[in-house]
Amino acid sequence: MRFFVDTNELNAGISTVVKALPARTTVSILEGIYMKAAGNTLLLRCSDLSIQIETVVAATVEEEGTIVLPGKLFAEMVRKLTGEMTSFDVKKNTASIESGRFKTTLQGESGAEFHTMSSVSRDLTVTVKPDALKRMVRGCIFAAAQDDSKPILTGALMEVDGNGVTLVALDGYRLALRRESAIEAKGEASNMIIPARSLLEIARVLPDEGGDVSIVFSRTHIMTDVGDTNITARLMEGEFIKYKQILPDSHATRVRVNRKDLLEGIDRVALMARASKSNLIKLTIADSLVNITANSEIGRSVEDVEASIMGSDIEIAFNARYFTDVLRVLDEEEIFLDMTNNISPCVVRPVQGDGFYYLILPVRIFSGM
Amino acid sequence: MRFFVDTNELNAGISTVVKALPARTTVSILEGIYMKAAGNTLLLRCSDLSIQIETVVAATVEEEGTIVLPGKLFAEMVRKLTGEMTSFDVKKNTASIESGRFKTTLQGESGAEFHTMSSVSRDLTVTVKPDALKRMVRGCIFAAAQDDSKPILTGALMEVDGNGVTLVALDGYRLALRRESAIEAKGEASNMIIPARSLLEIARVLPDEGGDVSIVFSRTHIMTDVGDTNITARLMEGEFIKYKQILPDSHATRVRVNRKDLLEGIDRVALMARASKSNLIKLTIADSLVNITANSEIGRSVEDVEASIMGSDIEIAFNARYFTDVLRVLDEEEIFLDMTNNISPCVVRPVQGDGFYYLILPVRIFSGM
């Protein structure tokens, strides 16, 4: 294999695909970047077996071929190259690379050994605005489980039907649900569970604005093309939690409150809770006020936030972070908080429409707190 | 004690003094911020016993007094306050603080318990440009020892005499020396050992430009005033290494080389050395070139940098980081490298003048590397 490429384009391509480099793996070849020179392009690919990212850059190819180079070292080297062009000459899985006055020989592995995800059959194709998909992912993914005690909860459920796309993530303490309309959905209505990390990488590759994006699903994979870049990820197998059963169907108290005022108030008061490591805040909802308090052995903080209250007064306590996580991903000026009693979840929902729905489980408190 | 202050000014003052908050301490009161309201100012002070930073902010004082408040929590709270003014009402070491709709009560400790460094007798006063002092500190402090195996080397030696100010730091593998002229020096010529952290904090508080700065020394302390802020630090006791004895008095090879080309070349080549965790680079100096090489089990990198060579050819190896640490703090376009043989230190010095002098110890290599 022999080719040369523009160094900046090579660097941009590598920066894109290394997002799929596994942090640690027992399969050493996956720690590499797969390169294939053919026609007038260089294809770059990384994979950790659950997500694969590939992209192409223009190249002048004098001899076609493939190789896998040590990912971390090769990516760092390319980032530091200053020669305008970089040339590669590969013989017996050893690459001789030159750029400017810098030369390196790098021991690689055979490209034939690299695991490649097969192309995805187009059972379902959903076309969305890139910013809508980004908003859904950002608005949900923080609620996915961080640990593996219930592995299925480290993914998010995507439901596609005639009404659009719904994304749901939950970890047993909170639930996040976002809905966006789809521009087009071709294929059967379906539910897929996508690993949180793969969704984040897909959202990261999407442009902030610009043309619509098509997401393709097979029974086992999700795939999308953005410009010259393709991301393919494995879906998770198993049953997601039947979340609709846990959504409350009524409330005794509805609070309409300014989101930013509530977020900043909780942030200030919660510092006191953090001093005692409990992170517990109490909300007392009465007299057109949300009164936020927190105690610790070194003091007590309190802040009032003005609100419209419909229904009964209530005292209810939360882990401050579960509340601020939700308030922080929203852009709305005002929100509704719906509560039933101090041991049932609080629902955070929009004043208009049904674009999101968050559940936050309260913490039981004893009177006198 | 009862007073109120502008919240932004309070926040700025606290940000300045918390630099001296100890990370961990067995003396709990030192984890606090000392406050003294008197006249029409609020004085703020933090100390870890080796450095003390204090500043004043304008305040409307209704009742004078002192208190020590929990440093980390109080500083974080003030950073989040949005009320224009913040009021304090302190009774029996408990502070009631209000800003906007936020209220907190914070248990403090008696101001009388706080350790305060006594005022520094003016045995020696050196007046310098702030940027000269910053340049000296930045150019030296990286070479001070990081660990406590020889505690005196965690400080830097400052020599003040008729020629100006010299700062020296060394850790057994490299030595850094910077000279700057002083605008004025009043008092006896003297040598002081200043803890690296204290020098960094002093440099950080200095403005980037602006009026001259006076540094005051007693036999035990260094002190400087910058605007409303005062920093006082304890000097280190003991003998510094007699560094002049280890400076080479001749060389067999002198290389004149572009600093940036050499730095970037070493940076690129050293990635290969890092892959084998040795971090070792070899310089082959001959034929008007500095040839940089590094090997590991997965490959070999090489780069040539043009240079003017006076004297013998030489092959010499270094820990790459010790070399790049030096090249990175310099601004000069070209530098001299002076070497004697491959087991004696390399001297990095300016092409003109004697503003700096760096020693880097080589690593012994066996032929065939």
Side-chain angles (χ1 to χ4, degrees):
Chain A
M1 171 160 76
R2 225 167 47 245
F3 64 92
F4 49 95
V5 289
D6 178 278
T7 306
N8 288 335
E9 287 183 28
L10 176 67
N11 193 14
I14 287 178
S15 305
T16 300
V17 298
V18 291
K19 303 278 174 18
L21 260 192
R24 269 163 306 182
T25 172
T26 48
V27 189
S28 80
I29 198 161
L30 292 178
E31 291 167 10
I33 299 173
Y34 172 91
M35 302 206 297
K36 178 181 181 178
N40 49 14
T41 58
L42 171 69
L43 179 141
L44 301 163
R45 178 186 294 148
C46 287
S47 169
D48 69 358
L49 295 183
S50 94
I51 186 169
Q52 167 182 297
I53 305 181
E54 62 177 39
T55 195
V56 292
V57 297
T60 304
V61 179
E62 294 175 344
E63 187 186 306
E64 301 193 337
T66 66
I67 191 172
V68 179
L69 290 179
K72 198 157 159 277
L73 174 60
F74 179 52
E76 279 187 279
M77 262 183 195
V78 172
R79 211 173 300 138
K80 287 184 189 283
L81 294 181
T82 47
E84 198 183 328
M85 300 297 288
T86 300
S87 71
F88 290 76
D89 188 353
V90 176
K91 287 193 179 69
K92 292 182 185 163
N93 296 332
T94 299
S96 300
I97 306 169
E98 287 195 35
S99 187
R101 307 193 75 147
F102 175 79
K103 294 179 201 176
T104 195
T105 53
L106 209 47
Q107 182 59 43
E109 292 182 75
S110 160
E113 305 292 317
F114 198 79
H115 178 277
T116 301
M117 286 190 190
S118 49
S119 68
V120 173
S121 65
R122 295 177 173 260
D123 297 346
L124 171 66
T125 303
V126 188
T127 305
V128 291
K129 294 262 177 219
D131 60 331
L133 192 68
K134 276 174 184 267
R135 201 158 49 228
M136 280 211 312
V137 171
R138 170 168 177 260
C140 271
I141 225 66
F142 70 88
Q146 301 291 317
D147 65 42
D148 271 343
S149 63
K150 217 162 158 55
I152 203 84
L153 295 184
T154 63
L157 177 72
M158 187 177 276
E159 298 177 317
V160 179
D161 58 27
N163 297 319
V165 185
T166 305
L167 194 66
V168 182
L170 65 103
D171 69 357
Y173 302 101
R174 60 263 181 84
L175 172 149
L177 180 154
R178 309 280 309 203
R179 281 193 196 96
E180 296 282 349
S181 52
I183 292 158
E184 191 180 30
K186 275 190 218 164
E188 291 231 347
S190 188
N191 301 339
M192 288 75 58
I193 309 168
I194 310 163
R197 182 186 165 212
S198 301
L199 270 177
L200 281 172
E201 292 305 341
I202 289 170
R204 200 184 314 206
V205 168
L206 293 181
D208 283 329
E209 295 175 358
D212 306 336
V213 175
S214 289
I215 314 280
V216 176
F217 292 94
S218 70
R219 275 191 306 177
T220 52
H221 287 81
I222 173 174
M223 188 274 286
T224 186
D225 285 305
V226 179
D228 287 328
T229 301
N230 171 283
I231 302 192
T232 306
R234 194 180 284 277
L235 299 177
M236 295 173 82
E237 289 171 20
E239 280 284 308
F240 203 71
I241 307 288
K242 296 204 190 318
Y243 72 91
K244 283 174 185 157
Q245 299 175 354
I246 57 175
L247 307 185
D249 47 12
S250 65
H251 60 267
T253 308
R254 166 164 282 186
V255 180
R256 181 177 179 139
V257 64
N258 180 289
R259 180 191 60 85
K260 190 158 167 274
D261 289 349
L262 184 64
L263 172 59
E264 292 182 357
I266 293 177
D267 251 353
R268 274 187 284 271
V269 170
L271 286 174
M272 185 61 83
R274 248 166 49 200
S276 66
K277 301 209 163 50
S278 78
N279 219 14
L280 204 70
I281 51 154
K282 190 176 74 173
L283 306 184
T284 305
I285 291 162
D287 304 328
S288 298
L289 290 176
V290 177
N291 170 274
I292 314 158
T293 55
N295 293 314
S296 81
E297 57 271 26
I298 56 169
R300 172 182 168 85
S301 287
V302 49
E303 182 156 337
D304 286 334
V305 179
E306 282 174 21
S308 312
I309 299 166
M310 292 149 273
S312 340
D313 294 351
I314 186 170
E315 271 194 18
I316 187 167
F318 296 97
N319 180 319
R321 194 169 65 81
Y322 292 163
F323 229 99
T324 53
D325 276 354
V326 171
L327 298 178
R328 229 181 284 281
V329 295
L330 297 176
D331 300 312
E332 281 66 20
E333 195 180 336
E334 290 194 309
I335 49 168
F336 281 150
L337 311 179
D338 289 349
M339 285 158 280
T340 304
N341 56 50
N342 64 10
I343 55 169
S344 303
C346 171
V347 176
V348 181
R349 53 167 51 173
V351 172
Q352 284 180 325
D354 62 350
F356 62 82
Y357 188 102
Y358 294 94
L359 268 191
I360 309 167
L361 223 58
V363 178
R364 275 170 205 251
I365 45 167
F366 301 96
S367 56
M369 174 193 157
Chain B
M1 173 160 74
R2 225 168 44 244
F3 64 94
F4 48 95
V5 289
D6 178 278
T7 305
N8 287 336
E9 288 184 28
L10 176 66
N11 193 14
I14 287 178
S15 305
T16 299
V17 299
V18 291
K19 304 280 175 14
L21 259 192
R24 269 164 304 183
T25 172
T26 49
V27 189
S28 80
I29 198 162
L30 292 177
E31 291 167 10
I33 299 173
Y34 172 90
M35 302 207 295
K36 179 182 181 178
N40 50 14
T41 58
L42 170 70
L43 180 142
L44 301 164
R45 179 186 292 149
C46 286
S47 168
D48 68 357
L49 295 182
S50 95
I51 185 168
Q52 168 182 296
I53 306 181
E54 62 178 39
T55 196
V56 291
V57 295
T60 305
V61 180
E62 293 175 343
E63 187 187 305
E64 301 193 336
T66 66
I67 191 172
V68 179
L69 289 180
K72 196 157 161 278
L73 174 60
F74 179 51
E76 280 188 277
M77 261 183 197
V78 172
R79 211 173 301 137
K80 287 185 189 283
L81 293 182
T82 47
E84 198 183 327
M85 301 296 287
T86 300
S87 71
F88 290 76
D89 188 353
V90 176
K91 286 192 179 68
K92 292 183 182 162
N93 296 332
T94 299
S96 299
I97 306 169
E98 288 194 34
S99 188
R101 308 193 74 149
F102 175 78
K103 295 180 200 174
T104 195
T105 54
L106 210 47
Q107 182 59 44
E109 293 182 75
S110 160
E113 305 292 317
F114 198 78
H115 178 277
T116 302
M117 287 189 187
S118 49
S119 68
V120 173
S121 66
R122 294 174 174 265
D123 297 347
L124 171 65
T125 303
V126 188
T127 305
V128 291
K129 295 261 178 219
D131 60 332
L133 190 68
K134 276 173 183 269
R135 200 159 48 229
M136 281 210 311
V137 171
R138 171 168 177 261
C140 271
I141 225 65
F142 70 89
Q146 301 292 317
D147 65 43
D148 271 341
S149 63
K150 218 164 159 54
I152 203 84
L153 296 184
T154 63
L157 177 72
M158 187 178 277
E159 298 177 318
V160 180
D161 60 25
N163 297 320
V165 185
T166 305
L167 193 66
V168 182
L170 65 103
D171 70 357
Y173 302 101
R174 62 265 182 81
L175 172 148
L177 179 154
R178 308 281 309 204
R179 283 195 194 94
E180 295 282 349
S181 52
I183 292 158
E184 191 180 30
K186 274 191 216 162
E188 292 232 346
S190 188
N191 301 338
M192 288 75 57
I193 310 168
I194 310 163
R197 182 188 164 211
S198 301
L199 270 177
L200 281 173
E201 290 304 341
I202 289 171
R204 199 182 314 206
V205 168
L206 293 180
D208 283 328
E209 295 176 357
D212 305 338
V213 175
S214 289
I215 314 280
V216 176
F217 292 94
S218 69
R219 276 192 305 177
T220 51
H221 286 82
I222 173 175
M223 189 274 287
T224 187
D225 285 306
V226 179
D228 288 328
T229 301
N230 172 284
I231 302 192
T232 306
R234 193 181 285 277
L235 298 176
M236 294 173 81
E237 289 170 22
E239 280 284 309
F240 202 71
I241 307 288
K242 296 204 190 318
Y243 72 91
K244 282 174 186 157
Q245 299 175 354
I246 56 175
L247 307 186
D249 48 12
S250 66
H251 59 266
T253 308
R254 166 164 283 186
V255 180
R256 181 178 180 141
V257 64
N258 180 289
R259 179 191 59 85
K260 191 159 166 275
D261 289 350
L262 184 64
L263 171 60
E264 292 183 356
I266 294 177
D267 250 353
R268 274 186 285 270
V269 170
L271 285 175
M272 185 61 83
R274 249 168 46 201
S276 65
K277 302 210 161 50
S278 78
N279 219 14
L280 204 71
I281 51 152
K282 191 176 74 172
L283 306 185
T284 305
I285 291 162
D287 304 328
S288 298
L289 290 176
V290 177
N291 170 274
I292 314 158
T293 54
N295 293 316
S296 81
E297 57 271 27
I298 55 169
R300 173 182 168 84
S301 288
V302 49
E303 181 156 339
D304 286 335
V305 180
E306 283 174 19
S308 311
I309 299 167
M310 292 149 275
S312 341
D313 295 351
I314 185 171
E315 272 194 17
I316 186 167
F318 295 97
N319 179 320
R321 193 169 65 80
Y322 292 163
F323 229 99
T324 53
D325 276 354
V326 171
L327 299 178
R328 229 181 283 281
V329 296
L330 297 176
D331 300 314
E332 281 65 20
E333 194 180 336
E334 290 194 309
I335 49 168
F336 281 150
L337 312 179
D338 289 349
M339 285 158 281
T340 305
N341 57 48
N342 64 10
I343 56 169
S344 303
C346 171
V347 176
V348 181
R349 53 167 50 174
V351 172
Q352 284 180 325
D354 62 350
F356 61 82
Y357 188 101
Y358 294 94
L359 269 191
I360 309 168
L361 223 59
V363 178
R364 275 171 205 251
I365 46 166
F366 301 97
S367 56
M369 173 194 159

